PDB file of all heavy atoms in Angstrom:
ATOM      1  N   GLU A 422      -9.528  47.832 -19.913  1.00  0.00           N
ATOM      2  CA  GLU A 422     -10.378  48.284 -18.817  1.00  0.00           C
ATOM      3  C   GLU A 422     -11.711  47.548 -18.801  1.00  0.00           C
ATOM      4  O   GLU A 422     -12.238  47.161 -17.733  1.00  0.00           O
ATOM      5  CB  GLU A 422     -10.620  49.817 -18.923  1.00  0.00           C
ATOM      6  CG  GLU A 422      -9.361  50.626 -18.694  1.00  0.00           C
ATOM      7  CD  GLU A 422      -9.650  52.113 -18.780  1.00  0.00           C
ATOM      8  OE1 GLU A 422     -10.853  52.499 -18.659  1.00  0.00           O
ATOM      9  OE2 GLU A 422      -8.707  52.897 -18.951  1.00  0.00           O
ATOM     10  N   LEU A 423     -12.255  47.283 -19.998  1.00  0.00           N
ATOM     11  CA  LEU A 423     -13.534  46.542 -20.065  1.00  0.00           C
ATOM     12  C   LEU A 423     -13.370  45.099 -19.559  1.00  0.00           C
ATOM     13  O   LEU A 423     -14.209  44.586 -18.832  1.00  0.00           O
ATOM     14  CB  LEU A 423     -14.026  46.502 -21.516  1.00  0.00           C
ATOM     15  CG  LEU A 423     -14.632  47.804 -22.065  1.00  0.00           C
ATOM     16  CD1 LEU A 423     -14.971  47.642 -23.538  1.00  0.00           C
ATOM     17  CD2 LEU A 423     -15.901  48.192 -21.292  1.00  0.00           C
ATOM     18  N   VAL A 424     -12.238  44.493 -19.963  1.00  0.00           N
ATOM     19  CA  VAL A 424     -11.992  43.091 -19.559  1.00  0.00           C
ATOM     20  C   VAL A 424     -11.831  43.061 -18.023  1.00  0.00           C
ATOM     21  O   VAL A 424     -12.353  42.122 -17.389  1.00  0.00           O
ATOM     22  CB  VAL A 424     -10.726  42.526 -20.258  1.00  0.00           C
ATOM     23  CG1 VAL A 424     -10.325  41.190 -19.661  1.00  0.00           C
ATOM     24  CG2 VAL A 424     -10.984  42.396 -21.743  1.00  0.00           C
ATOM     25  N   LEU A 425     -11.102  44.012 -17.447  1.00  0.00           N
ATOM     26  CA  LEU A 425     -10.897  44.028 -16.036  1.00  0.00           C
ATOM     27  C   LEU A 425     -12.239  44.199 -15.275  1.00  0.00           C
ATOM     28  O   LEU A 425     -12.506  43.505 -14.294  1.00  0.00           O
ATOM     29  CB  LEU A 425      -9.957  45.175 -15.661  1.00  0.00           C
ATOM     30  CG  LEU A 425      -9.655  45.350 -14.146  1.00  0.00           C
ATOM     31  CD1 LEU A 425      -9.008  44.064 -13.588  1.00  0.00           C
ATOM     32  CD2 LEU A 425      -8.726  46.540 -13.902  1.00  0.00           C
ATOM     33  N   SER A 426     -13.060  45.128 -15.791  1.00  0.00           N
ATOM     34  CA  SER A 426     -14.390  45.342 -15.138  1.00  0.00           C
ATOM     35  C   SER A 426     -15.253  44.126 -15.262  1.00  0.00           C
ATOM     36  O   SER A 426     -15.958  43.757 -14.332  1.00  0.00           O
ATOM     37  CB  SER A 426     -15.062  46.562 -15.816  1.00  0.00           C
ATOM     38  OG  SER A 426     -14.286  47.764 -15.625  1.00  0.00           O
ATOM     39  N   ALA A 427     -15.242  43.451 -16.448  1.00  0.00           N
ATOM     40  CA  ALA A 427     -16.037  42.278 -16.646  1.00  0.00           C
ATOM     41  C   ALA A 427     -15.588  41.135 -15.699  1.00  0.00           C
ATOM     42  O   ALA A 427     -16.399  40.393 -15.151  1.00  0.00           O
ATOM     43  CB  ALA A 427     -15.975  41.799 -18.080  1.00  0.00           C
ATOM     44  N   THR A 428     -14.276  41.001 -15.536  1.00  0.00           N
ATOM     45  CA  THR A 428     -13.738  40.015 -14.630  1.00  0.00           C
ATOM     46  C   THR A 428     -14.213  40.218 -13.181  1.00  0.00           C
ATOM     47  O   THR A 428     -14.638  39.272 -12.494  1.00  0.00           O
ATOM     48  CB  THR A 428     -12.197  40.023 -14.658  1.00  0.00           C
ATOM     49  OG1 THR A 428     -11.768  39.756 -16.030  1.00  0.00           O
ATOM     50  CG2 THR A 428     -11.605  38.939 -13.727  1.00  0.00           C
ATOM     51  N   GLN A 429     -14.216  41.503 -12.774  1.00  0.00           N
ATOM     52  CA  GLN A 429     -14.650  41.794 -11.414  1.00  0.00           C
ATOM     53  C   GLN A 429     -16.149  41.515 -11.274  1.00  0.00           C
ATOM     54  O   GLN A 429     -16.592  41.028 -10.230  1.00  0.00           O
ATOM     55  CB  GLN A 429     -14.366  43.277 -11.063  1.00  0.00           C
ATOM     56  CG  GLN A 429     -12.842  43.540 -10.966  1.00  0.00           C
ATOM     57  CD  GLN A 429     -12.568  45.012 -10.727  1.00  0.00           C
ATOM     58  OE1 GLN A 429     -13.437  45.871 -10.952  1.00  0.00           O
ATOM     59  NE2 GLN A 429     -11.354  45.310 -10.298  1.00  0.00           N
ATOM     60  N   VAL A 430     -16.941  41.836 -12.284  1.00  0.00           N
ATOM     61  CA  VAL A 430     -18.380  41.578 -12.231  1.00  0.00           C
ATOM     62  C   VAL A 430     -18.645  40.083 -12.099  1.00  0.00           C
ATOM     63  O   VAL A 430     -19.471  39.657 -11.273  1.00  0.00           O
ATOM     64  CB  VAL A 430     -19.068  42.123 -13.487  1.00  0.00           C
ATOM     65  CG1 VAL A 430     -20.519  41.625 -13.610  1.00  0.00           C
ATOM     66  CG2 VAL A 430     -19.095  43.681 -13.468  1.00  0.00           C
ATOM     67  N   ILE A 431     -17.956  39.265 -12.915  1.00  0.00           N
ATOM     68  CA  ILE A 431     -18.164  37.818 -12.922  1.00  0.00           C
ATOM     69  C   ILE A 431     -17.688  37.220 -11.584  1.00  0.00           C
ATOM     70  O   ILE A 431     -18.320  36.353 -11.015  1.00  0.00           O
ATOM     71  CB  ILE A 431     -17.444  37.183 -14.087  1.00  0.00           C
ATOM     72  CG1 ILE A 431     -18.089  37.648 -15.411  1.00  0.00           C
ATOM     73  CG2 ILE A 431     -17.453  35.664 -14.005  1.00  0.00           C
ATOM     74  CD1 ILE A 431     -17.346  37.262 -16.629  1.00  0.00           C
ATOM     75  N   GLU A 432     -16.558  37.739 -11.077  1.00  0.00           N
ATOM     76  CA  GLU A 432     -16.042  37.263  -9.789  1.00  0.00           C
ATOM     77  C   GLU A 432     -17.064  37.531  -8.691  1.00  0.00           C
ATOM     78  O   GLU A 432     -17.381  36.652  -7.861  1.00  0.00           O
ATOM     79  CB  GLU A 432     -14.708  37.947  -9.436  1.00  0.00           C
ATOM     80  CG  GLU A 432     -13.505  37.163  -9.890  1.00  0.00           C
ATOM     81  CD  GLU A 432     -12.207  37.726  -9.286  1.00  0.00           C
ATOM     82  OE1 GLU A 432     -11.736  38.748  -9.789  1.00  0.00           O
ATOM     83  OE2 GLU A 432     -11.697  37.148  -8.299  1.00  0.00           O
ATOM     84  N   ARG A 433     -17.607  38.768  -8.694  1.00  0.00           N
ATOM     85  CA  ARG A 433     -18.613  39.110  -7.676  1.00  0.00           C
ATOM     86  C   ARG A 433     -19.832  38.193  -7.737  1.00  0.00           C
ATOM     87  O   ARG A 433     -20.321  37.702  -6.734  1.00  0.00           O
ATOM     88  CB  ARG A 433     -19.091  40.550  -7.857  1.00  0.00           C
ATOM     89  CG  ARG A 433     -18.034  41.621  -7.476  1.00  0.00           C
ATOM     90  CD  ARG A 433     -18.438  42.982  -8.072  1.00  0.00           C
ATOM     91  NE  ARG A 433     -19.712  43.417  -7.566  1.00  0.00           N
ATOM     92  CZ  ARG A 433     -19.840  44.235  -6.523  1.00  0.00           C
ATOM     93  NH1 ARG A 433     -18.762  44.686  -5.900  1.00  0.00           N
ATOM     94  NH2 ARG A 433     -21.050  44.648  -6.126  1.00  0.00           N
ATOM     95  N   HIS A 434     -20.233  37.864  -8.995  1.00  0.00           N
ATOM     96  CA  HIS A 434     -21.376  37.025  -9.161  1.00  0.00           C
ATOM     97  C   HIS A 434     -21.129  35.591  -8.591  1.00  0.00           C
ATOM     98  O   HIS A 434     -21.971  35.051  -7.846  1.00  0.00           O
ATOM     99  CB  HIS A 434     -21.684  36.918 -10.671  1.00  0.00           C
ATOM    100  CG  HIS A 434     -22.764  35.904 -10.994  1.00  0.00           C
ATOM    101  ND1 HIS A 434     -24.078  36.031 -10.698  1.00  0.00           N
ATOM    102  CD2 HIS A 434     -22.630  34.653 -11.573  1.00  0.00           C
ATOM    103  CE1 HIS A 434     -24.731  34.987 -11.081  1.00  0.00           C
ATOM    104  NE2 HIS A 434     -23.902  34.107 -11.623  1.00  0.00           N
ATOM    105  N   PHE A 435     -19.974  35.005  -8.967  1.00  0.00           N
ATOM    106  CA  PHE A 435     -19.693  33.637  -8.480  1.00  0.00           C
ATOM    107  C   PHE A 435     -19.491  33.577  -6.974  1.00  0.00           C
ATOM    108  O   PHE A 435     -19.849  32.615  -6.335  1.00  0.00           O
ATOM    109  CB  PHE A 435     -18.470  33.104  -9.219  1.00  0.00           C
ATOM    110  CG  PHE A 435     -18.751  32.706 -10.634  1.00  0.00           C
ATOM    111  CD1 PHE A 435     -17.903  33.097 -11.655  1.00  0.00           C
ATOM    112  CD2 PHE A 435     -19.844  31.940 -10.960  1.00  0.00           C
ATOM    113  CE1 PHE A 435     -18.140  32.723 -12.958  1.00  0.00           C
ATOM    114  CE2 PHE A 435     -20.128  31.594 -12.269  1.00  0.00           C
ATOM    115  CZ  PHE A 435     -19.268  31.992 -13.265  1.00  0.00           C
ATOM    116  N   LEU A 436     -18.896  34.651  -6.422  1.00  0.00           N
ATOM    117  CA  LEU A 436     -18.749  34.692  -4.962  1.00  0.00           C
ATOM    118  C   LEU A 436     -20.102  34.715  -4.287  1.00  0.00           C
ATOM    119  O   LEU A 436     -20.336  34.013  -3.289  1.00  0.00           O
ATOM    120  CB  LEU A 436     -17.890  35.913  -4.551  1.00  0.00           C
ATOM    121  CG  LEU A 436     -16.432  35.869  -4.916  1.00  0.00           C
ATOM    122  CD1 LEU A 436     -15.774  37.224  -4.672  1.00  0.00           C
ATOM    123  CD2 LEU A 436     -15.724  34.777  -4.130  1.00  0.00           C
ATOM    124  N   LYS A 437     -21.004  35.522  -4.870  1.00  0.00           N
ATOM    125  CA  LYS A 437     -22.363  35.593  -4.279  1.00  0.00           C
ATOM    126  C   LYS A 437     -23.045  34.235  -4.337  1.00  0.00           C
ATOM    127  O   LYS A 437     -23.651  33.783  -3.349  1.00  0.00           O
ATOM    128  CB  LYS A 437     -23.170  36.664  -5.026  1.00  0.00           C
ATOM    129  CG  LYS A 437     -24.638  36.688  -4.629  1.00  0.00           C
ATOM    130  CD  LYS A 437     -25.399  37.675  -5.496  1.00  0.00           C
ATOM    131  CE  LYS A 437     -26.898  37.637  -5.179  1.00  0.00           C
ATOM    132  NZ  LYS A 437     -27.691  38.582  -6.006  1.00  0.00           N
ATOM    133  N   VAL A 438     -22.970  33.587  -5.517  1.00  0.00           N
ATOM    134  CA  VAL A 438     -23.658  32.266  -5.655  1.00  0.00           C
ATOM    135  C   VAL A 438     -23.027  31.228  -4.692  1.00  0.00           C
ATOM    136  O   VAL A 438     -23.757  30.431  -4.089  1.00  0.00           O
ATOM    137  CB  VAL A 438     -23.522  31.791  -7.126  1.00  0.00           C
ATOM    138  CG1 VAL A 438     -24.032  30.360  -7.265  1.00  0.00           C
ATOM    139  CG2 VAL A 438     -24.311  32.723  -8.043  1.00  0.00           C
ATOM    140  N   ALA A 439     -21.705  31.279  -4.585  1.00  0.00           N
ATOM    141  CA  ALA A 439     -21.046  30.318  -3.666  1.00  0.00           C
ATOM    142  C   ALA A 439     -21.485  30.484  -2.241  1.00  0.00           C
ATOM    143  O   ALA A 439     -21.750  29.476  -1.531  1.00  0.00           O
ATOM    144  CB  ALA A 439     -19.511  30.497  -3.792  1.00  0.00           C
TER     145      ALA A 439
END
Side-chain angles (χ1 to χ4, degrees):
E422 294 181 17
L423 286 175
V424 171
L425 179 60
S426 298
T428 301
Q429 292 176 344
V430 167
I431 294 170
E432 267 192 282
R433 289 165 60 95
H434 171 72
F435 286 133
L436 289 171
K437 173 184 175 181
V438 173

